[in-house]
Amino acid sequence: QVQLVESGGGVVQPGRSLRLSCAASGFTFSIFAMHWVRQAPGKGLEWVAVISYDGNNKYYPDSVKGRFTVSRDNSQNTLYLRMSSLRPEDTAVYYCVRDLGEVWGQGTLVTVSS
Amino acid sequence: EIVMTQSPATLSVSPGERATLSCRASQSVGITLAWYQQKPGQAPRLLIYSASTRATGIPARFSGSGSGTEFNLTISSLQSEDFALYFCQQYKNWPLWTFGQGTKVEIK
């Protein structure tokens, strides 16, 4: 079935880096733009990155621009989010989402704390 | 940046009653508006897209309306499984997304 599975979350110190992965299955990954959306504990949803189907176009909100990098490997049906210079306010569950919002992963928790 | 504002923050409704949630955009988004439902510990689920089109498998008791800057999500007769958090989202500036802050529908 159509599925997205995130991995790579954990506890990381402020200022350090972390890379999240999202494995896609059950659909043609290479034809869809893909997004990352995060949700801080008890808070709402915040969009943090999008990458075009071919990886040539990437966009970010100001809150993460210059610190987060989205990428993809269509041969491996995998989406990535490289997060650097992490801050406590980046603590959240990170979801990968297929464009148009029909398919979400289960999320992976990132905790930024010393 | 388009800002999405949802009201009320919390809606207390009895089972079987009708619930209407509102979402306002800071500028016109046409009908590029989606609604999501989120239950505790779960990922959001798409309910409505293009302001009024139900996503696959969504019951008919969920309906969306509106265009431009004012939108509503109506649940015609609340079932126990409908008590959850609801978010609106605009995608006028696709591929950039903006979400509202959410409305919690709780049992009265």
Side-chain angles (χ1 to χ4, degrees):
Chain A
Q1 75 277 26
V2 174
Q3 196 172 9
L4 296 170
V5 179
E6 301 94 339
S7 60
V11 180
V12 60
Q13 293 180 328
R16 304 297 293 266
S17 298
L18 198 64
R19 189 181 80 162
L20 306 182
S21 300
C22 171
S25 59
F27 65 97
T28 306
F29 178 71
S30 61
I31 67 172
F32 286 94
M34 295 294 296
H35 301 255
W36 287 97
V37 173
R38 69 184 179 183
Q39 186 171 35
K43 301 297 184 182
L45 301 171
E46 180 186 15
W47 170 78
V48 294
V50 61
I51 185 168
S52 60
Y53 71 98
D54 57 3
N56 287 338
N57 296 289
K58 306 171 186 181
Y59 301 93
Y60 311 89
D62 289 344
S63 58
V64 307
K65 195 174 295 182
R67 300 188 301 121
F68 288 13
T69 302
V70 60
S71 61
R72 65 190 298 161
D73 183 342
N74 285 344
S75 68
Q76 297 294 317
N77 292 335
T78 303
L79 176 72
Y80 301 100
L81 184 68
R82 173 75 174 177
M83 304 182 293
S84 60
S85 302
L86 282 163
R87 306 166 180 169
E89 55 264 36
D90 295 318
T91 294
V93 174
Y94 285 75
Y95 297 100
C96 65
V97 189
R98 195 178 79 176
D99 196 34
L100 304 182
E102 295 172 285
V103 185
W104 293 61
Q106 85 288 351
T108 187
L109 176 62
V110 174
T111 302
V112 183
S113 173
S114 54
Chain B
E1 179 191 349
I2 301 175
V3 177
M4 308 302 293
T5 303
Q6 291 185 242
S7 61
T10 303
L11 187 60
S12 298
V13 186
S14 299
E17 288 189 341
R18 180 187 189 94
T20 300
L21 290 65
S22 296
C23 176
R24 173 176 292 179
S26 61
Q27 62 189 80
S28 176
V29 299
I31 60 167
T32 56
L33 190 285
W35 289 95
Y36 295 85
Q37 177 193 67
Q38 186 181 34
K39 297 179 181 179
Q42 296 184 15
R45 176 176 71 146
L46 179 66
L47 298 175
I48 301 284
Y49 62 93
S50 297
S52 61
T53 303
R54 278 189 301 278
T56 304
I58 301 304
R61 64 180 181 274
F62 291 93
S63 63
S65 62
S67 66
T69 61
E70 301 285 342
F71 301 88
N72 288 328
L73 173 70
T74 300
I75 311 170
S76 59
S77 177
L78 272 157
Q79 307 297 303
S80 57
E81 62 266 30
D82 300 334
F83 292 96
L85 197 52
Y86 293 84
F87 294 97
C88 64
Q89 173 216 28
Q90 69 81 21
Y91 48 97
K92 173 78 161 47
N93 296 336
W94 184 90
L96 311 185
W97 291 352
T98 311
F99 294 92
Q101 80 280 17
T103 291
K104 180 182 179 181
V105 177
E106 65 175 24
I107 300 175
K108 187 174 182 180

